[in-house]
Amino acid sequence: MSFDLSVIPHKNIVLAVTGGIAAYKSAILVRRLKDYGFDVRVVMTHGAQAFITPLTFQALSGNPVHTELLDPAAEAGMGHIELARWADLLLVAPASCDTLAKFANGLADDLLSTVFLATKSPVWVAPAMNQQMWAAKATQRNLQTLVEDGVHVIMPDAGEQACGDVGLGRMPEPEEIARQVAGYFHQAQRAIAEKFGLLAGKRVVITAGPTREAIDPVRYISNHSTGKMGFALAAACYAAGAQVTLIAGPVSLDTPNGVQRVNVASARQMLDVSMSSLETGCDIFIATAAVADYRVAEVAEHKIKKAGDELNVSLVKNPDIVATIADQEKRPFMVGFAAETQNVEEYAAGKLVAKKLDMIACNDVSRADIGFASDENAMTVFFAESYHMKKRELEKASKQEISQQLVEAISDALRRK
């Protein structure tokens, strides 16, 4: 499972590395944790330093490595108590048999065991040892004590070990451990968003991407929309605590984590799914999709063969999805988008009134730096007169940042409503 990194808050991870051949995996684990945006500080036991050097972890983490309990230089900076307070999570990987025993019995004779006792933050351990040591009654008794004390155990994998034995005791791959850590903070942040987020408890439906209107079995009419804006908005709404359904035209984008996705091709399919969403519940409808205005009157059953210099295709108007939804008796809060190439604000203001929208965001897609396929955008947002809100200018920024500003604008308007 992938995570939308914008949903994962900045957190501090103390990664403790103990003695064992699996210590080499911890170097990779630092990189994977930083990929998720975590700040990582490394604590190493004396045993760990026999397998890998502190300099390696300092280079990878970008922070000094902590190795000694009674180090005057360390105590003058980030001492063991401050390190324990700094951590949002203490992750021990690999966790040796000796370390588990110290933790379970409250020993505090080195830096790591002292940090363990001094921290109020969650503690995770990823045991790694010989399969017989893992199976030993004393080890299992210590693990049971730790679990009862609230320590989270990442279970070891089975397989061939460095000593030649085969069985349980291998430390899981760094990517898997980092994914579990990210998932933990993601779920914690999600719980907060569902209770206190700007769109907490709201049901949001978003249309995104282009539509394709078939000419024959191999040709179609479409546009240059990539769906990036709609997908970014789906992620932002989810991060704000909403339940999000994303109705996506044909685009090559990964579904944002936590978002329910429904794939469609044509404008009529998109309208059908949009109407169905009203029946299942929709508080906010956001129409970012670049829906084709016209479709072919009669789609050819077989591929049209090339013949002559001209091909005449009759087009008929497609339904206006956002206007249709806005015209329903039990209409949700309606947010439209206007992608124009000239007179942008004038056209957008007109659409706001004509389509009975609550809010419309417009941008100039003739600009190469913010048009279709760009990772950035800039918008002007208009609100219906009843909200007594001035238009908002959203300066050029990433589509993720623009999406967060749009969520704030929607939240403000909903409060006024």
Side-chain angles (χ1 to χ4, degrees), residues 140-156:
Q140 293 303 310
R141 186 167 58 247
N142 289 334
L143 282 167
Q144 182 61 35
T145 297
L146 291 176
V147 170
E148 291 173 357
D149 289 346
V151 173
H152 175 74
V153 179
I154 303 174
M155 294 297 290

Side-chain angles (χ1 to χ4, degrees), residues 229 288 336-345 347-348 351 360-367 369-374 376-382 393-394 399 402:
M229 191 69 239
T288 70
F337 273 67
E340 304 289 351
T341 59
Q342 59 180 341
N343 302 326
V344 178
E345 294 193 13
Y347 287 143
K351 286 182 179 180
I360 192 166
C362 62
N363 66 319
D364 185 350
V365 293
S366 67
R367 289 175 52 179
D369 60 332
I370 62 168
F372 289 129
S374 173
E376 296 182 310
N377 214 337
M379 291 189 158
T380 303
V381 180
F382 295 91
E393 297 288 350
L394 308 185
K399 288 183 175 177
I402 293 291

Side-chain angles (χ1 to χ4, degrees), residues 297-317:
E298 195 167 330
V299 179
E301 184 177 355
H302 300 288
K303 178 183 176 182
I304 300 172
K305 298 299 182 182
K306 181 167 62 178
D309 295 331
E310 295 182 357
L311 173 64
N312 294 316
V313 177
S314 178
L315 301 177
V316 295
K317 196 172 184 179

Side-chain angles (χ1 to χ4, degrees), residues 385-401:
E385 285 188 9
S386 59
Y387 291 94
H388 305 291
M389 296 174 69
K390 295 180 179 179
K391 71 177 183 180
R392 292 193 183 185
E393 297 288 350
L394 308 185
E395 300 296 331
K396 182 180 175 182
S398 71
K399 288 183 175 177
Q400 286 73 25
E401 292 175 277

Side-chain angles (χ1 to χ4, degrees), residues 74-377:
E75 290 299 306
M78 180 166 281
H80 64 282
I81 299 299
E82 285 305 311
L83 191 62
R85 290 172 178 167
W86 179 85
D88 292 306
L89 179 76
L90 171 59
L91 171 63
V92 188
S96 67
C97 189
D98 178 66
T99 298
L100 297 177
K102 285 183 177 181
F103 285 3
N105 291 281
L107 299 182
D109 62 349
D110 63 1
L111 176 60
L112 173 55
S113 55
T114 304
V115 171
F116 169 75
L117 290 176
T119 189
K120 294 182 179 179
S121 299
V123 178
W124 287 25
V125 296
M129 63 195 71
N130 169 267
Q131 55 88 23
Q132 190 57 50
M133 295 175 70
W134 168 257
K137 290 182 179 179
T139 301
Q140 293 303 310
R141 186 167 58 247
N142 289 334
L143 282 167
Q144 182 61 35
T145 297
L146 291 176
V147 170
E148 291 173 357
D149 289 346
V151 173
H152 175 74
V153 179
I154 303 174
M155 294 297 290
D157 289 339
E160 185 176 355
Q161 300 182 321
C163 61
D165 286 356
V166 176
L168 280 171
R170 289 168 54 94
M171 177 173 143
E173 294 306 309
E175 292 78 8
E176 173 59 19
I177 295 175
R179 186 195 67 79
Q180 289 189 34
V181 172
Y184 167 77
F185 283 114
H186 176 275
Q187 290 301 323
Q189 185 71 6
R190 177 61 182 169
I192 294 172
E194 287 179 339
K195 190 171 183 179
F196 302 109
L198 291 176
L199 301 181
K202 299 296 184 184
R203 295 164 296 183
V204 178
V205 177
I206 302 175
T207 64
T211 62
R212 287 180 180 174
E213 311 301 330
I215 298 173
D216 62 20
V218 298
R219 301 180 181 91
Y220 57 82
I221 299 170
S222 191
N223 56 63
H224 295 296
S225 174
T226 61
K228 288 182 178 180
M229 191 69 239
F231 276 62
L233 252 175
C237 289
Y238 177 77
Q243 300 175 31
V244 183
T245 299
L246 179 62
I247 306 172
V251 297
S252 300
L253 294 172
D254 293 331
T255 306
N257 187 61
V259 171
Q260 180 184 2
R261 178 175 178 174
V262 181
N263 291 322
V264 297
S266 69
R268 286 180 291 180
Q269 289 174 344
M270 185 171 282
L271 175 60
D272 289 343
V273 177
S274 297
M275 291 296 290
S276 296
S277 73
L278 298 186
E279 298 175 6
T280 56
C282 174
D283 300 306
I284 304 167
F285 189 92
I286 307 175
T288 70
V291 181
D293 293 323
Y294 295 89
R295 68 180 185 275
V296 175
E298 195 167 330
V299 179
E301 184 177 355
H302 300 288
K303 178 183 176 182
I304 300 172
K305 298 299 182 182
K306 181 167 62 178
D309 295 331
E310 295 182 357
L311 173 64
N312 294 316
V313 177
S314 178
L315 301 177
V316 295
K317 196 172 184 179
N318 264 326
D320 189 318
I321 295 175
V322 69
T324 302
I325 300 296
D327 202 40
Q328 301 303 304
E329 183 178 355
K330 294 183 179 180
R331 65 192 291 280
F333 181 89
M334 297 297 303
V335 182
F337 273 67
E340 304 289 351
T341 59
Q342 59 180 341
N343 302 326
V344 178
E345 294 193 13
E346 179 183 342
Y347 287 143
K351 286 182 179 180
L352 177 70
V353 175
K355 299 187 179 186
K356 303 176 183 177
L357 306 180
D358 297 282
M359 170 178 157
I360 192 166
C362 62
N363 66 319
D364 185 350
V365 293
S366 67
R367 289 175 52 179
D369 60 332
I370 62 168
F372 289 129
S374 173
D375 291 324
E376 296 182 310
N377 214 337

